[in-house]
Amino acid sequence: MKKKIIKAELSAGYRDFLPETMIPRQSILDSIRGVFELYGFSPIETPGIEKEEILTGGDENFSKQLFRISRAEGSDPLALRFDLTVPLARVIAQYPNELKRPFKRYQIGRVWRGERSQAGRYREFTQFDADIVGSDSMMADAEIIAVMYGVMRKLGIENFKIRVNNRKILNGLPEYADFPKEKIGAVLRSIDKLDKKSWGPVGEELEALGLSKDQIDALKKFVTLRGKNSTDALSQLKKLMKVSPLAQEGIKELEEVVAHVGALGVPDDAWVVDFSVARGLGYYTGPVFETTLTDIPEIGSVFSGGRYDGLVERFSPTAVSATGASVGVDRLFAALEKLGKIKKEQTVAKVVVLNFDPVAREYIQEVAAKLRGDGISTDIYLGSEESLKGQLAFALKTGAPIIIIAGEEEMKKKTVQIKNTIERSQEEAKASEAPERVWSILKK
Amino acid sequence: MKKKIIKAELSAGYRDFLPETMIPRQSILDSIRGVFELYGFSPIETPGIEKEEILTGGDENFSKQLFRISRAEGSDPLALRFDLTVPLARVIAQYPNELKRPFKRYQIGRVWRGERSQAGRYREFTQFDADIVGSDSMMADAEIIAVMYGVMRKLGIENFKIRVNNRKILNGLPEYADFPKEKIGAVLRSIDKLDKKSWGPVGEELEALGLSKDQIDALKKFVTLRGKNSTDALSQLKKLMKVSPLAQEGIKELEEVVAHVGALGVPDDAWVVDFSVARGLGYYTGPVFETTLTDIPEIGSVFSGGRYDGLVERFSPTAVSATGASVGVDRLFAALEKLGKIKKEQTVAKVVVLNFDPVAREYIQEVAAKLRGDGISTDIYLGSEESLKGQLAFALKTGAPIIIIAGEEEMKKKTVQIKNTIERSQEEAKASEAPERVWSILKK
């Protein structure tokens, strides 16, 4: 009976990262981690599986997107986390003694959402978050903006804009534009589309919500307000929204943020106060942040967040203030790819040692061990191709900058041939001096 | 109505890593990655969720431990992966053109198993694998042993032993000890317990399986065979098992491994041929490896693997040879903790800048920005404690080696107080020279 062969494939909405994409992806993740640590954020890890109640807080809207775990013997309903913020809130409530506040943590991890699978939408993706818990100072929000700036610069991105708003200002809109408070959610969802849509269709949406021309005009005046700089914009807004005490509070917070962000060394042109930034998630309560790439705004925000002072209350009788931001790793990677900032590589190896002469097998292993001992990433050809020519063709395809060739002849002389695949040159060197020669080529 | 507070807790069998454990854990993972890359292994990532059929291959034994995903609209039955090897086999079959063989990859990732939850057993844990696919050379198996050795040394572990066997030798046991082939699975499971149990109870298990005294004696002779060294042990085994052609093939393979491992620079005392090593998983077909820590053998193997030439056949009509090993990250971390090799830290920050004087708020932010600009991980105190004394107590508890103090007085002089918390000394320095002074303390 012929054995059944199972088709090797993923379900829709999932994907693999092969070395060609994983090597640069890893290097991006390392860079982000480096910046987070530079700003004093420490790592934590939490499991992918949590109790369903923890994740949803009983909110049915979230639970539609939830991936539930089905286990016969399981007692608690369990599910996969859909972000890293809710698990952080749980951690804060669960370990009050271990985690002294303020607490700054970063976390990288997979999250899962039951999105309709479509181009560029994945059901499993990676988030990379930095949060400050237990500080209600606007200095904390300024730190988040500074770390966002630091990450973008570290990744070599020059044309980007961190857009900052305050949910308190947005929550003051019903008072300002004189529309019913119940409509604020729908209004914000429309306004939030302004990073991708122009005012025209957004205005039509607002009309469909039953807003009057006066109300819509007031909203347009609000979202299109621009000043000479952030301080000027805030000062204009203060006058515009003078009827709303809540908005005044939000404006005052942003004025503080402006001063702190400058002191933290973030240049003025890297960020802007933008009153159209709403951020979808319900839990934001203060400043909110987004990062768009000036050259590809259509990709949306690659690094976003805000203050969410209420979230920990789900798990604790005492309120805990918190602010943070999350890198959408997959979207950021796609953006960097579009910007031509991703160098695709097939292998991490800097050297491939050929292995075509059975007599010299242990000799080339000793050479490889010497290179590795000197910190040089080294591969030995281990495939079925026996000819020097065939192995050389394989090694050239890997893109490794150096190929080392040694057969019986070299073994007897205790030498190796060192091939520089980039400059297409070759030299013979003593085996004992191979690491030094390889380093001198790599450092060029 | 009082809001319901949800109890912040994990389900049994799951756990969090707070900074105290995550900081050293991260450093261990970085070390392992460094060694894997040194040996020319490149990273890949695959999703946590795969089609159920891919994971189980239709095998009901595996599927008992499986975590299934329940989704109303989902078409394929999906589940969480239980290891990284089966996904690798899928990847190999799925991308024959993208992945030129031999292909060396490493992968770190969470895996999930529905184990009965008990002390030290987790339902979600981390594996870190290195595998070579597409090489039937024993040089590949030797590379795996060398990389295992490299990792253990890199982690500062001195007393360990890599124990090597060959499944072909074990599969020759029915011929050698003259018992029915059907019993081989049960016999190997008993023998596999010898790393934790002595011969006594294992012998009793074999008796319970219906083996005769002669058969058991022959098995004991086999598993307790020790030579002066690996070469000698293999030469003795060759005579002992001369009736089994399969065992002879396995012995020949190990003889090749012995020669290669030496050439790759692994010292003789770091590894040993041990005929009692069986490894549980059904898919092994050739050499198998385990790593035990001499000082805490009861913890079991921390780094194990073997050759599994048949696995890719589940997804492909052509056989693809493969060999590799997996670090049990959680077990390894527990072992390093027991060995006192884990330095617990509360924060990655090297400097905490106090923030007690509202007048100097932007001044200290500028100081922090300078330190960060010079690559020094720096935290600014952002909590509600307002007094210098209270903030100092907080900063001292974080364990950060340096605390920087600056109020209005220092601001006017453009200086800072630099407190070395380890040597309990303090100096005043110009703010512009702070990075240089901090580096000189950190480098001590």
Side-chain angles (χ1 to χ4, degrees):
Chain A
M1 200 186 87
K2 208 167 157 278
K3 223 186 90 222
K4 188 199 162 198
I5 288 174
I6 297 164
K7 190 169 182 216
E9 61 179 11
L10 288 171
S11 185
Y14 301 88
R15 64 177 152 175
D16 297 310
F17 296 94
L18 304 185
E20 189 181 63
T21 44
M22 194 58 214
I23 294 169
R25 189 176 157 90
Q26 187 66 64
S27 133
I28 289 167
L29 298 179
D30 288 345
S31 294
I32 298 172
R33 170 147 73 101
V35 177
F36 284 177
E37 294 197 350
L38 196 58
Y39 281 76
F41 291 83
S42 296
I44 70 163
E45 263 190 24
T46 64
I49 293 180
E50 299 244 6
K51 292 186 177 190
E52 189 178 324
E53 191 187 31
I54 295 278
L55 297 175
T56 62
D59 179 342
E60 286 301 315
N61 286 325
F62 271 122
S63 75
K64 263 189 290 181
Q65 290 205 336
L66 215 61
F67 279 90
R68 293 186 178 75
I69 305 298
S70 63
R71 301 215 61 232
E73 41 161 319
S75 48
D76 312 307
L78 301 176
L80 291 168
R81 65 185 174 204
F82 57 83
D83 76 0
L84 302 175
T85 310
V86 173
L88 172 63
R90 174 188 55 74
V91 161
I92 295 301
Q94 190 170 343
Y95 309 98
N97 300 320
E98 290 88 341
L99 301 177
K100 299 283 172 242
R101 295 200 291 260
F103 172 58
K104 287 166 88 170
R105 83 90 178 79
Y106 71 83
Q107 183 173 6
I108 181 168
R110 304 289 184 91
V111 301
W112 292 265
R113 292 185 196 174
E115 311 270 4
R116 289 269 300 276
S117 124
Q118 59 185 75
R121 283 272 184 184
Y122 292 94
R123 289 176 172 170
E124 175 170 345
F125 53 98
T126 298
Q127 287 197 332
F128 205 159
D129 290 16
D131 291 81
I132 304 173
V133 178
S135 172
D136 48 24
S137 165
M138 285 299 120
M139 288 178 79
D141 301 270
E143 286 270 294
I144 298 296
I145 296 171
V147 85
M148 290 167 83
Y149 170 74
V151 164
M152 300 307 281
R153 290 309 306 263
K154 180 80 182 183
L155 295 176
I157 302 174
E158 274 159 30
N159 299 324
F160 65 91
K161 197 71 94 176
I162 302 171
R163 306 190 302 144
V164 180
N165 197 4
N166 193 317
R167 279 296 269 266
K168 286 177 181 154
I169 297 174
L170 296 172
N171 289 335
L173 286 179
E175 291 171 326
Y176 154 73
D178 197 24
F179 64 84
K181 256 196 175 148
E182 308 82 69
K183 291 194 175 167
I184 182 70
V187 167
L188 291 186
R189 274 191 293 281
S190 292
I191 287 181
D192 208 22
K193 291 173 188 157
L194 279 172
D195 58 342
K196 287 176 187 168
K197 290 185 182 178
S198 64
W199 176 257
V202 169
E204 282 164 28
E205 275 192 35
L206 294 172
E207 220 181 304
L209 288 173
L211 266 59
S212 71
K213 193 175 170 299
D214 281 0
Q215 291 166 337
I216 294 173
D217 282 349
L219 286 172
K220 184 174 180 182
K221 205 165 177 183
F222 166 79
V223 294
T224 54
L225 190 155
R226 297 281 181 278
K228 286 194 296 287
N229 53 39
S230 296
T231 310
D232 181 47
L234 287 168
S235 131
Q236 287 187 42
L237 191 70
K238 208 182 247 174
K239 285 172 211 147
L240 187 69
M241 296 188 78
K242 58 180 180 298
V243 297
S244 166
L246 191 58
Q248 294 298 322
E249 202 183 310
I251 292 165
K252 193 173 156 284
E253 286 183 359
L254 286 193
E255 282 170 343
E256 285 182 48
V257 168
V258 171
H260 294 316
V261 166
L264 286 170
V266 181
D268 281 350
D269 61 353
W271 72 288
V272 65
V273 168
D274 179 339
F275 304 120
S276 75
V277 171
R279 303 302 310 146
L281 281 170
Y283 53 59
Y284 292 121
T285 57
V288 285
F289 330 109
E290 276 188 5
T291 311
T292 44
L293 304 178
T294 324
D295 301 325
I296 32 175
E298 70 278 9
I299 209 160
S301 173
V302 296
F303 198 165
S304 326
R307 179 168 280 275
Y308 51 100
D309 285 344
L311 188 59
V312 180
E313 281 177 67
R314 184 186 291 178
F315 310 112
S316 157
T318 42
V320 181
S321 47
T323 182
S326 176
V327 182
V329 173
D330 303 84
R331 197 184 276 189
L332 177 65
F333 189 84
L336 288 167
E337 230 173 345
K338 275 199 178 175
L339 292 173
K341 291 195 182 290
I342 299 295
K343 199 184 148 215
K344 297 207 168 174
E345 290 174 273
Q346 302 292 330
T347 177
V348 296
K350 298 297 176 205
V351 175
V352 178
V353 180
L354 302 191
N355 174 22
F356 59 94
D357 188 343
V359 175
R361 208 145 270 173
E362 281 156 34
Y363 177 67
I364 60 134
Q365 286 180 309
E366 286 162 18
V367 170
K370 269 196 201 87
L371 294 168
R372 289 166 176 166
D374 215 41
I376 299 161
S377 171
T378 301
D379 202 0
I380 303 173
Y381 181 80
L382 298 172
S384 54
E385 184 62 63
E386 286 177 9
S387 73
L388 169 57
K389 204 180 149 196
Q391 292 190 6
L392 193 56
F394 177 93
L396 283 168
K397 269 189 207 140
T398 67
I402 292 164
I403 298 170
I404 284 189
I405 304 165
E408 187 174 7
E409 198 185 320
E410 283 81 8
M411 180 179 75
K412 281 181 178 159
K413 289 190 286 177
K414 296 190 178 167
T415 65
V416 292
Q417 305 290 338
I418 301 177
K419 203 176 182 70
N420 178 334
T421 68
I422 292 155
E423 297 190 349
R424 292 161 186 264
S425 60
Q426 186 167 325
E427 59 174 304
E428 187 166 356
K430 283 187 195 165
S432 58
E433 287 165 11
E436 192 189 322
R437 293 302 309 141
V438 168
W439 271 125
S440 79
I441 295 170
L442 292 177
K443 277 174 185 159
K444 265 183 208 170
Chain B
M1 202 183 88
K2 206 167 160 277
K3 223 188 91 218
K4 189 197 161 200
I5 288 174
I6 297 164
K7 188 168 184 219
E9 61 179 11
L10 288 171
S11 185
Y14 300 88
R15 64 176 152 175
D16 297 310
F17 296 94
L18 304 186
E20 188 180 66
T21 44
M22 195 59 214
I23 295 169
R25 189 176 157 90
Q26 187 65 63
S27 134
I28 288 167
L29 298 178
D30 288 344
S31 294
I32 297 172
R33 169 147 74 103
V35 177
F36 284 177
E37 294 197 349
L38 196 59
Y39 281 76
F41 291 83
S42 296
I44 72 164
E45 262 190 25
T46 65
I49 293 180
E50 299 245 5
K51 292 186 178 191
E52 189 177 325
E53 190 186 32
I54 295 278
L55 297 175
T56 62
D59 180 341
E60 287 300 315
N61 287 324
F62 271 121
S63 76
K64 263 189 290 181
Q65 290 205 335
L66 215 60
F67 279 89
R68 291 185 179 75
I69 305 298
S70 64
R71 300 216 61 234
E73 41 161 320
S75 48
D76 313 307
L78 301 176
L80 291 168
R81 66 186 174 202
F82 57 82
D83 76 1
L84 302 175
T85 310
V86 172
L88 172 63
R90 175 189 55 75
V91 161
I92 295 300
Q94 190 169 343
Y95 308 98
N97 300 320
E98 290 88 342
L99 301 176
K100 300 285 171 237
R101 295 199 292 259
F103 172 58
K104 286 166 90 171
R105 84 89 178 80
Y106 71 83
Q107 183 172 7
I108 180 167
R110 303 290 183 90
V111 302
W112 292 266
R113 291 185 196 173
E115 311 270 4
R116 287 272 298 277
S117 120
Q118 59 184 74
R121 283 272 184 183
Y122 291 95
R123 289 175 171 172
E124 174 169 347
F125 53 98
T126 299
Q127 287 196 331
F128 206 160
D129 290 16
D131 292 80
I132 304 173
V133 178
S135 172
D136 47 24
S137 164
M138 284 300 121
M139 288 178 80
D141 301 272
E143 286 270 294
I144 297 296
I145 295 171
V147 88
M148 290 167 84
Y149 169 74
V151 164
M152 300 307 282
R153 290 310 304 265
K154 180 80 182 183
L155 295 177
I157 302 173
E158 272 158 32
N159 299 323
F160 65 92
K161 197 71 95 178
I162 302 170
R163 307 189 302 145
V164 181
N165 197 4
N166 193 316
R167 280 295 269 267
K168 286 178 180 153
I169 296 175
L170 296 172
N171 290 333
L173 286 178
E175 290 172 326
Y176 153 73
D178 197 23
F179 65 83
K181 256 195 174 146
E182 307 83 66
K183 291 193 177 168
I184 183 70
V187 167
L188 291 187
R189 274 193 293 280
S190 292
I191 287 181
D192 207 21
K193 292 172 188 157
L194 279 172
D195 58 342
K196 288 176 187 166
K197 291 185 181 178
S198 64
W199 176 257
V202 170
E204 281 164 29
E205 274 192 36
L206 293 173
E207 222 180 302
L209 288 174
L211 264 61
S212 72
K213 192 175 171 301
D214 281 0
Q215 290 165 337
I216 294 174
D217 281 350
L219 286 173
K220 183 173 182 182
K221 205 166 177 182
F222 166 79
V223 293
T224 54
L225 190 155
R226 298 281 180 278
K228 285 195 297 286
N229 53 39
S230 295
T231 310
D232 180 47
L234 286 168
S235 132
Q236 286 187 43
L237 191 70
K238 208 182 247 173
K239 285 173 210 146
L240 187 69
M241 295 189 78
K242 58 180 180 297
V243 297
S244 165
L246 191 57
Q248 294 298 321
E249 203 183 308
I251 293 165
K252 192 169 156 285
E253 287 182 359
L254 286 192
E255 282 170 342
E256 284 181 51
V257 168
V258 171
H260 294 316
V261 166
L264 286 170
V266 181
D268 281 350
D269 61 354
W271 71 288
V272 63
V273 168
D274 179 339
F275 304 121
S276 76
V277 172
R279 302 302 310 147
L281 281 170
Y283 52 58
Y284 292 121
T285 57
V288 284
F289 330 109
E290 276 188 5
T291 310
T292 44
L293 304 179
T294 322
D295 301 324
I296 32 174
E298 69 279 8
I299 209 161
S301 174
V302 295
F303 199 166
S304 327
R307 178 168 282 275
Y308 50 101
D309 286 344
L311 188 58
V312 180
E313 282 177 66
R314 182 186 292 178
F315 310 111
S316 157
T318 42
V320 181
S321 47
T323 182
S326 177
V327 182
V329 173
D330 303 84
R331 197 184 274 188
L332 176 66
F333 188 84
L336 287 167
E337 229 172 347
K338 275 199 178 175
L339 291 173
K341 290 194 183 291
I342 300 294
K343 198 184 147 216
K344 297 207 168 172
E345 288 173 274
Q346 302 293 331
T347 177
V348 296
K350 298 298 174 205
V351 175
V352 178
V353 180
L354 302 191
N355 174 24
F356 58 95
D357 188 343
V359 175
R361 209 145 269 173
E362 281 157 36
Y363 178 66
I364 60 135
Q365 287 181 308
E366 285 162 19
V367 170
K370 269 197 200 86
L371 294 168
R372 289 164 176 168
D374 215 41
I376 298 161
S377 172
T378 301
D379 202 359
I380 301 174
Y381 180 79
L382 297 173
S384 54
E385 184 61 66
E386 286 176 10
S387 74
L388 169 57
K389 203 179 151 198
Q391 292 191 7
L392 192 58
F394 177 93
L396 283 168
K397 269 188 206 141
T398 67
I402 293 165
I403 297 170
I404 285 188
I405 304 165
E408 187 174 5
E409 197 185 320
E410 282 82 8
M411 180 178 77
K412 282 182 177 158
K413 289 191 286 177
K414 295 190 178 168
T415 65
V416 292
Q417 305 289 339
I418 301 177
K419 202 177 184 68
N420 178 335
T421 69
I422 292 154
E423 296 189 350
R424 292 160 187 265
S425 60
Q426 185 167 323
E427 59 175 305
E428 187 166 356
K430 283 188 194 160
S432 59
E433 287 165 12
E436 192 188 320
R437 294 302 309 142
V438 168
W439 272 125
S440 79
I441 295 170
L442 292 177
K443 277 175 183 156
K444 265 183 207 170

